[in-house]
Structure formats: structure tokens, C-alpha cells
Amino acid sequence: MSQFYALINSTGIQEVEATAMPTIEEIQNLVGIPGKQAFFEGVYRRYSDPSIAILCDDEFLLKACQPTLLTPDGTTLQGQLLIVALDTQIEDFCLLTQQQLEIVKKESKIYPLQPR
């Protein structure tokens, strides 16, 4: 069964098929400004599947990143975002299933907002 993570930025949603969860250093590079690592924080319970998590640069406001995503509950997030899942059994991040990836693609609104 294929597993994924999703990157969301100003160019849209990029789905990445993966065999392993990115390392902490890779996550820092993925959510940071290109060439600069970032500390990241999780944003939880924004999708209809509550196990989907959004990882973002925890300083996106200080770095004046542009809006990227309007979550289904109306939260605006900025900068490059990494979308993964939560495995409650191990209390850690894990890759998305195909079904979770489809939820992310269906429920995410990318800036600039386009009418659906």
C-alpha cells in the first residue's frame, strides 16, 4: 500500500510517495525558507480526519511568509507546509494513506483562493 506526504506552498499541493517519514532535519528543511532550516510546529484537527497533521515553520509570522493555506475550519497558515498523519499508538507522525491524501486535496484551499 502506497504512503505519502503532501507539501503545500504557493505553487499548490505536491504529493510525494514515500517509504519512510522524513527525518526531523528533512522536515525542518521542507517547511523552512529555501536554504534555511526552520523549527516546526504541528497544527492539529483541521481536517475531517482528525489524524491529519500540518507541520509549519513556527516563525512564519516573524519571517513574513505569504499565506498559503486556508484550512477547512478557516485557519490561515503561511509558508511551506508539510501534511502528514498522526499515529496515536506510537504518538508520533507518520505518512498519509491514499484516503488521507485525497481528504487533504479535497478540503484544502490554496492561496490565492480560487472559487471551487
Side-chain angles (χ1 to χ4, degrees):
M1 176 174 18
S2 297
Q3 294 186 304
F4 307 86
Y5 62 85
L7 288 174
I8 297 180
N9 58 32
S10 60
T11 62
I13 299 174
Q14 176 188 357
E15 55 187 80
V16 178
E17 189 168 352
T19 57
M21 183 66 195
T23 65
I24 290 175
E25 184 176 321
E26 290 169 332
I27 293 170
Q28 290 172 322
N29 286 325
L30 287 169
V31 301
I33 294 171
K36 294 184 180 181
Q37 283 188 341
F39 293 104
F40 63 91
E41 68 177 292
V43 180
Y44 307 101
R45 300 186 178 278
R46 303 296 180 199
Y47 289 94
S48 60
D49 178 340
S51 67
I52 296 172
I54 305 166
L55 304 180
C56 62
D57 184 336
D58 72 350
E59 295 183 332
F60 67 81
L61 291 174
L62 294 173
K63 293 178 181 176
C65 295
Q66 294 300 307
T68 307
L69 171 69
L70 181 66
T71 65
D73 72 343
T75 302
T76 299
L77 296 173
Q78 297 167 257
Q80 182 149 289
L81 309 169
L82 178 65
I83 314 297
V84 295
L86 288 171
D87 183 331
T88 55
Q89 291 182 332
I90 61 171
E91 296 182 352
D92 202 358
F93 300 114
C94 61
L95 296 171
L96 298 166
T97 64
Q98 182 68 50
Q99 182 179 7
Q100 289 169 320
L101 180 63
E102 295 306 318
I103 290 170
V104 170
K105 293 189 309 189
K106 180 182 176 188
E107 296 181 11
S108 297
K109 293 182 182 175
I110 309 302
Y111 278 86
L113 296 178
Q114 303 294 323
R116 288 203 179 245

